[in-house]
Amino acid sequence: MSSVALLSLVATLPVNNPVSAQESSSQATYSKSSGSWIKSGSRWWYKHSDGSYTTNGWGKIGGTWYYFDSEGWMKTGWIKEYGNWYYLDDSSAMKTGWCRVSGIWYYLNTSGVMQTGLQTIGGNEYYLNTSGAMQTGWQNIGDDTYFFASSGARQTINRRALVLGETSTRAVPIEDVNAMEKVFSNQNFSEVVRFPDKTKAEIIAKMQELFKSSSESDVNYLYLTCHGGRDGRIYLGSDGLTFSGWELASILKQYKGKFVVMLDCCYSGTIIDVGESDEKVASKSEEKFDEQAFLAGFSTGNLASKNGEMLDSKFLVLCASWKGEKSYSLVGIGSLATRYWAMGTGWDSLQNRMISPMADTNTNGKITLEELYQYSYPLVLEAASSSNKKQHVSVYPENSQFVLFQK
């Protein structure tokens, strides 16, 4: 038992049972060598061999710790003692180790104290929140991001990236692809694939090849630079075939893990439904999705997007513009959003060299989604405004502390 718990008050009174128990008409006695458990109604108390009983604290009986209230009645459930939480099972025995209460797992150390925070237990690391509950899935803790399996054990996070672009026109510079390839290659990613100017079928096949082995603890990065349509279409295929936002989201949802989608094209905010709509947007058709064509890598008809296709916990999204805005670029420099995303993570595409990550505002060596958004938003807006244009970087979800990059 902890030293704190041992300081609990133990009172011995010259009576045979608690005051409340004296008034009971029926009592059951269960003897131990050093005393007896006595049941009065639905409650229990313990009479020592000298006739005294424990109140207001802990008593060790038969090698097990129990807790008694001010009248000597045995307690069950959660109790708080000197700032620490303990759990007493239905027999009032103090629990240690893993304990499941109301469907939630807790861990109590050898002194019975409920643990919180990151804990190494049996060779694995677990995270117990401020209420002591074991957490699973993605968790932002301190200044880092972790993934915990359904068992609660921390898993290694594997990261991979696919860099896509349709750069056949001057408006979509190859510098974008070059910059983001460098950004990802400067990280400790397991794989970075550069794959610009490919047909839609080739792009879908490459996604399958790269992401099919992804696990729930993986983070997959998808960068896209291309033209975008007012209806939300993404003009990524070199064969002129497009992706609707819904189609792209559906493809990625086939694979396990988290997806970071960085989309630099006009009207890109459509996929997260951010910003005002363009008044020139044509009416959207509601043609039925052709599953066979989709599986083959082609879409038929005019599959218009529905706004907000990536408003899903599976995705972390940065878009170069609002859904009613264009995305702009500068000759020899690249697209505005991509340039500042790269600089934010530590790559100067103009000087073609590594720099200090500009988005790391708290200088902890890590860059979160929110930090990259907050860094790039005003710079893109200012650069576009200097040419009398409007361009607002958009993000989903807002205020996310998910760590995207590390120094």
Side-chain angles (χ1 to χ4, degrees), residues 50-339:
D50 62 358
S52 65
Y53 60 93
T54 302
T55 64
N56 284 326
W58 297 97
K60 192 172 186 180
I61 303 168
T64 301
W65 286 99
Y66 299 86
Y67 192 88
F68 300 88
D69 67 14
S70 60
E71 294 183 331
W73 296 112
M74 178 189 80
K75 297 283 289 182
T76 60
W78 289 104
I79 63 166
K80 190 175 185 180
E81 179 86 340
Y82 294 100
N84 293 318
W85 284 96
Y86 302 82
Y87 186 74
L88 311 170
D89 65 17
D90 291 341
S91 70
S92 190
M94 184 192 77
K95 299 291 290 183
T96 61
W98 287 107
C99 180
R100 193 173 189 182
V101 182
S102 300
I104 298 174
W105 285 101
Y106 300 85
Y107 187 80
L108 306 110
N109 67 12
T110 54
S111 296
V113 177
M114 183 192 79
Q115 302 297 287
T116 61
L118 285 169
Q119 300 288 333
T120 300
I121 303 167
N124 290 315
E125 195 168 22
Y126 299 84
Y127 178 59
L128 311 166
N129 68 11
T130 54
S131 298
M134 185 191 78
Q135 301 297 291
T136 61
W138 293 102
Q139 303 291 330
N140 296 316
I141 307 167
D143 60 359
D144 212 344
T145 297
Y146 301 78
F147 183 85
F148 300 90
S150 57
S151 66
R154 179 184 172 185
Q155 305 295 294
T156 299
I157 298 176
N158 180 46
R159 300 173 191 257
R160 60 178 67 82
L162 178 60
V163 183
L164 301 173
E166 205 297 296
T167 66
S168 62
T169 64
R170 187 178 181 183
V172 184
I174 192 65
E175 285 86 355
D176 289 357
V177 172
N178 297 339
M180 292 309 296
E181 181 187 14
K182 284 291 187 180
V183 166
F184 296 130
S185 297
N186 288 335
Q187 298 292 310
N188 188 28
F189 285 14
S190 63
E191 193 170 3
V192 177
V193 176
R194 175 192 174 101
F195 205 65
D197 302 312
K198 303 297 181 182
T199 66
K200 182 176 181 180
E202 289 172 328
I203 291 169
I204 292 177
K206 181 58 69 174
M207 289 181 183
Q208 165 72 10
E209 176 187 328
L210 186 60
F211 301 138
K212 65 182 179 181
S213 62
S214 180
S215 68
E216 291 296 348
S217 61
D218 288 355
V219 184
N220 302 302
Y221 294 70
L222 183 65
Y223 170 79
L224 310 93
T225 182
C226 58
H227 286 289
R230 291 190 178 96
D231 62 356
R233 283 183 170 280
I234 302 168
Y235 288 76
L236 192 58
S238 62
D239 50 2
L241 294 176
T242 66
F243 290 86
S244 69
W246 174 82
E247 188 177 9
L248 181 60
S250 298
I251 292 171
L252 299 182
K253 285 180 180 179
Q254 297 178 87
Y255 309 113
K256 295 179 180 179
K258 184 78 76 173
F259 275 87
V260 177
V261 178
M262 304 175 74
L263 178 58
D264 196 339
C265 69
C266 296
Y267 316 107
S268 54
T270 302
I271 63 171
I272 53 175
D273 199 22
V274 173
E276 298 177 357
S277 298
D278 192 323
E279 294 179 357
K280 298 179 182 178
V281 174
S283 60
K284 299 178 180 179
S285 66
E286 295 293 335
E287 295 189 29
K288 185 177 180 181
F289 178 61
D290 187 331
E291 182 178 4
Q292 294 303 315
F294 167 73
L295 294 174
F298 299 92
S299 59
T300 60
N302 181 27
L303 277 175
S305 297
K306 297 181 177 64
N307 292 350
E309 300 89 342
M310 287 192 177
L311 295 177
D312 188 289
S313 60
K314 188 174 186 67
F315 300 114
L316 299 163
V317 187
L318 270 174
C319 295
S321 62
W322 284 356
K323 63 184 179 182
E325 295 177 337
K326 292 184 178 181
S327 172
Y328 297 97
S329 62
L330 298 176
V331 177
I333 294 178
S335 299
L336 296 179
T338 295
R339 169 164 169 71

Side-chain angles (χ1 to χ4, degrees), residues 31-52:
S31 298
K32 293 280 186 179
S33 59
S34 59
S36 302
W37 281 105
I38 299 174
K39 186 177 183 182
S40 181
S42 61
R43 297 190 293 178
W44 291 85
W45 63 284
Y46 186 79
K47 183 171 71 173
H48 296 286
S49 57
D50 62 358
S52 65

Side-chain angles (χ1 to χ4, degrees), residues 334-353:
S335 299
L336 296 179
T338 295
R339 169 164 169 71
Y340 290 115
W341 290 342
M343 290 185 67
T345 61
W347 179 256
D348 187 336
S349 56
L350 188 59
Q351 299 293 326
N352 199 35
R353 65 184 180 89

Side-chain angles (χ1 to χ4, degrees), residues 2-40:
S2 68
S3 58
V4 171
L6 289 173
L7 292 175
S8 300
L9 178 62
V10 178
T12 55
L13 304 178
V15 292
N16 292 330
N17 47 18
V19 174
S20 298
Q22 289 179 347
E23 301 171 355
S24 175
S25 59
S26 62
Q27 296 183 358
T29 302
Y30 299 83
S31 298
K32 293 280 186 179
S33 59
S34 59
S36 302
W37 281 105
I38 299 174
K39 186 177 183 182
S40 181

